[in-house]
């Protein structure tokens, strides 16, 4: 006569083995799927195939989530939530083509230029998300933040290690170039970061300044010229001039709030950054 302990032993051993093999989806789904396949008359090979597919799908989902965490995006944005109609100057077909990530395989760069609030960061984040989903390692930083990290690393004798990390990204996103002027040392360090990635990895840069004003950031025509020569050798340029998203949103909300019977609360402005915060 089979005891309950003998009946339970195979399940206990199976759970142990699946944990050891790091197959959590197998462990979670095998019994439920077995019952479903039995009811449908599915044979053992197809049952195992379904289990393997579930494990692979779950593993890829976790891998993408890990890439997104490691990228350190300030927010997760996708092109699905981007309003292309608000920026007529932007080439939508080019952006959608870039989302396929072939430019990363070719080690090409992307530069998004335009005035503040036109969606440059949103576009860069969306392309970064697409890269994570396509299996590429991604890093996100602001220009000022990257310079600060490199100067601190230089002072602590670990600059080479940081530079190796920067070079290792298949896609590096450098946001807000031009918002803060750089010191001569900072400009040289940032130039070196760009140079080390030249034809080795893709870089996305967003800037509120046209190319002819980049000298005001780097403080040297020679350095700026050498940088642009490398950045624009293999590049896709996104023109993103237009009315600020945030300003247009604020105006629309104020018009709605002013209409009779409206219950829409007014916008709140962050006094430190000028960012419009939707209540």
């Amino acid at each position: 006569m089979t005891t309950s302990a003998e009946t339970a032993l195979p399940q206990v051993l199976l759970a142990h083995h699946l944990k050891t093999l790091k197959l959590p989806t197998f462990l979670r789904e095998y019994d439920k799927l077995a019952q479903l396949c039995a009811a449908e008359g599915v044979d053992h090979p197809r049952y195992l195939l379904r289990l393997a597919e579930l494990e692979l799908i779950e593993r890829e989902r976790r891998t993408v989530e890990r890439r997104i965490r490691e990228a350190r995006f300030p927010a997760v944005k996708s092109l699905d939530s981007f309003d292309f109609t608000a920026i007529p100057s932007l080439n939508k077909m080019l952006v959608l083509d870039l989302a396929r990530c072939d430019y990363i395989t070719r080690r090409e760069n992307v530069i998004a230029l335009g005035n503040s609030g036109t969606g440059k960061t949103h576009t860069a984040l969306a392309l970064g998300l697409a890269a994570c989903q396509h299996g590429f390692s991604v890093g996100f930083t602001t220009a000022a933040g990257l310079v600060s990290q490199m100067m601190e690393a230089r002072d602590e004798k670990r600059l080479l290690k940081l530079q190796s990390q920067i070079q290792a990204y298949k896609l590096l996103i450098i946001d807000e170039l031009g918002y803060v002027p750089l010191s001569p040392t900072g400009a040289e360090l940032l130039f070196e970061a760009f140079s080390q990635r030249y034809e080795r990895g893709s870089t996305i840069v967003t800037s509120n300044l046209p190319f002819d004003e980049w000298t005001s950031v780097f403080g040297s025509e020679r350095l700026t010229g050498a940088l642009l020569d490398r950045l624009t050798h293999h590049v896709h340029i996104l023109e993103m001039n237009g009315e600020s998203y945030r300003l247009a949103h604020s105006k629309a909300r104020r018009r709605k709030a002013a209409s009779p019977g409206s219950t829409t609360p007014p916008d709140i402005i962050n006094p430190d950054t000028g960012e419009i915060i939707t209540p």
Side-chain angles (χ1 to χ4, degrees):
M1 181 177 180
T2 304
T3 65
S4 58
E6 290 174 331
T7 302
L9 182 59
Q11 282 83 358
V12 172
L13 290 174
L14 179 59
H16 174 269
H17 295 336
L18 290 175
K19 287 179 181 178
T20 301
L21 292 169
K22 298 181 179 179
L23 297 171
T25 306
F26 261 66
L27 177 58
R28 187 176 65 250
E29 301 291 341
Y30 82 88
D31 188 49
K32 180 173 60 177
L33 187 60
Q35 295 179 41
L36 178 63
C37 287
E40 295 177 354
V42 174
D43 59 22
H44 283 79
R46 287 182 174 80
Y47 162 67
L48 290 174
L49 175 61
R50 288 190 187 182
L51 264 182
E53 288 173 341
L54 288 173
E55 186 68 51
L56 286 171
I57 291 169
E58 180 64 15
R59 186 168 295 185
E60 176 59 23
R61 184 189 66 78
R62 293 196 302 269
T63 300
V64 171
E65 288 181 348
R66 188 188 72 248
R67 292 192 201 105
I68 292 171
R69 287 195 303 272
E70 292 175 348
R72 297 184 178 180
F73 298 133
V76 177
K77 302 279 189 178
S78 72
L79 291 176
D80 292 338
S81 59
F82 189 85
D83 184 7
F84 285 95
T85 62
I87 310 295
S89 64
L90 179 60
N91 185 336
K92 178 180 179 180
M93 296 309 299
L94 173 57
V95 175
L96 295 179
D97 184 64
L98 291 172
R100 296 169 55 191
C101 299
D102 293 336
Y103 73 100
I104 300 177
T105 304
R106 298 190 297 264
R107 300 180 179 87
E108 298 168 350
N109 301 322
V110 178
I111 301 178
L113 301 175
N115 47 294
S116 297
T118 53
K120 298 185 299 298
T121 300
H122 185 146
T123 303
L125 287 169
L127 292 177
L129 176 63
C132 289
Q133 294 169 336
H134 280 77
F136 297 103
S137 59
V138 181
F140 181 97
T141 182
T142 63
L146 180 57
V147 168
S148 178
Q149 288 182 55
M150 289 191 293
M151 293 185 72
E152 182 178 325
R154 184 199 57 175
D155 294 341
E156 296 176 358
K157 312 294 185 186
R158 54 180 180 82
L159 181 58
L160 288 177
K161 181 179 179 181
L162 178 59
Q163 288 174 328
S164 295
Q165 293 172 349
I166 294 170
Q167 290 181 54
Y169 290 120
K170 295 298 182 181
L171 174 64
L172 177 65
I173 301 173
I174 300 180
D175 196 27
E176 298 181 346
L177 179 66
Y179 285 80
V180 180
L182 304 176
S183 66
T185 301
E188 290 176 3
L189 286 171
L190 187 56
F191 170 78
E192 191 171 351
F194 280 120
S195 295
Q196 290 171 345
R197 291 187 58 79
Y198 176 59
E199 294 190 328
R200 296 187 180 93
S202 295
T203 305
I204 294 178
V205 180
T206 74
S207 178
N208 63 325
L209 299 177
F211 291 136
D212 58 8
E213 294 183 25
W214 281 28
T215 303
S216 64
V217 179
F218 290 92
S220 164
E221 290 186 6
R222 177 190 60 81
L223 197 65
T224 304
L227 171 64
L228 287 173
D229 182 61
R230 288 163 174 76
L231 266 182
T232 60
H233 185 200
H234 309 288
V235 70
H236 304 274
I237 297 177
L238 303 178
E239 297 283 353
M240 301 185 66
N241 283 303
E243 184 179 15
S244 166
Y245 264 167
R246 292 185 288 270
L247 180 59
H249 176 71
S250 178
K251 288 179 178 178
R253 285 181 61 82
R254 280 197 290 269
R255 285 195 299 269
K256 186 176 180 180
S259 63
S262 173
T263 58
T264 303
D267 287 316
I268 299 173
I269 308 296
N270 185 320
D272 297 320
T273 65
E275 179 184 3
I276 297 171
I277 305 170
T278 302

